[in-house]
Amino acid sequence: LSYHLTLAEANGPFEGFLVMPTGSGKTFTSVRWLMENHVNRGGRILWLAHRHELLEQAAQAFASCAAFVPNLAELRIRIVSGMHCPASMISSEDHVLCCSVQSLARNREIVDEVLNDDRTFLVVDEAHHASAKSYRDIIERLRNRQDFKLLGLTATPTRTLAHEQPILSQLFGHKRLFEVNVRDLIERGFLSRPIPVIVQ
């Protein structure tokens, strides 16, 4: 990720997928990297997900990685969803916005304000859902900027309808920035080896 970010700083946008299996630490891996390499340099994060549990998980991960932003005196994290803050409470002083797609879809002016902020790095959790119109609208508005930062997180980049796969790939610049498979992580001891059980 750092290599691709360095290239983007010289040549334009940062875009692509981080592909890691379920249980391998996609959220923590990306959050720690974002905190060290973006938030600590004055950036802000817009983290999109479709369920409030995923938003809460991300917010907790950002809070647990607060030590990786020593340049900030205070870290401001806001969750925006039907169960948390409304989009109208988003502030330019928020460093991390964990937002439901549904909450943002109803607040175009606020979304445009966040996306037009040069500091904003857009992260799409469970990015295989991004071919849906609600996601596409937000991503395509970000892509209208000359220099943008966009990261999709997924364990299953092809888990979408066949006719939607080209759309999904195009949204993230046809790039897999990093990918690791289940077998490799099992062999290295990071994931447990599954033990199949036959049920009669």
Side-chain angles (χ1 to χ4, degrees):
L1 293 175
S2 296
Y3 168 75
H4 287 286
L5 183 61
T6 302
L7 289 180
E9 287 168 351
N11 302 316
F14 175 100
E15 56 185 340
F17 289 108
L18 170 63
V19 182
M20 296 173 65
T22 300
S24 62
K26 280 188 304 300
T27 301
F28 180 79
T29 298
S30 53
V31 164
R32 176 172 171 172
W33 179 78
L34 289 162
M35 293 289 266
E36 288 182 306
N37 295 281
H38 188 68
V39 178
N40 195 45
R41 298 177 184 175
R44 72 192 304 207
I45 306 298
L46 174 57
W47 183 286
L48 291 185
H50 65 291
R51 297 201 324 268
H52 69 268
E53 296 93 346
L54 294 174
L55 299 174
E56 291 171 356
Q57 178 188 11
Q60 289 170 359
F62 279 107
S64 71
C65 289
F68 297 105
V69 286
N71 292 338
L72 293 185
E74 178 185 50
L75 176 66
R76 293 179 56 120
I77 302 169
R78 185 180 304 278
I79 305 177
V80 176
S81 80
M83 296 183 62
H84 301 90
C85 292
S88 59
M89 292 185 68
I90 291 175
S91 164
S92 61
E93 296 180 7
D94 295 329
H95 301 107
V96 177
L97 297 166
C98 298
C99 302
S100 74
V101 179
Q102 299 89 338
S103 292
L104 293 187
R106 296 188 293 268
N107 293 277
R108 185 181 178 94
E109 287 183 12
I110 294 170
V111 175
D112 286 342
E113 189 175 321
V114 174
L115 295 180
N116 289 331
D117 184 340
D118 290 338
R119 301 174 297 158
T120 299
F121 195 128
L122 177 60
V123 181
V124 181
D125 197 3
E126 302 287 327
H128 49 274
H129 293 293
S131 55
K133 187 179 185 305
S134 53
Y135 281 95
R136 286 201 324 267
D137 287 347
I138 295 170
I139 293 170
E140 286 168 356
R141 276 145 68 191
L142 176 78
R143 295 180 69 90
N144 287 333
R145 280 179 28 198
Q146 185 173 0
D147 293 321
F148 59 86
K149 294 177 175 65
L150 172 63
L151 178 63
L153 310 178
T154 184
T156 53
T158 57
R159 202 186 86 187
T160 187
L161 298 174
H163 70 277
E164 292 180 348
Q165 288 177 12
I167 297 170
L168 184 65
S169 180
Q170 181 180 357
L171 285 171
F172 293 91
H174 305 287
K175 295 178 185 172
R176 293 192 187 189
L177 302 175
F178 180 77
E179 182 171 6
V180 63
N181 62 48
V182 174
R183 181 172 297 174
D184 183 41
L185 293 179
I186 290 172
E187 295 303 325
R188 293 167 60 189
F190 290 106
L191 291 178
S192 299
R193 190 176 303 279
I195 303 172
V197 175
I198 298 173
V199 178
Q200 299 289 336

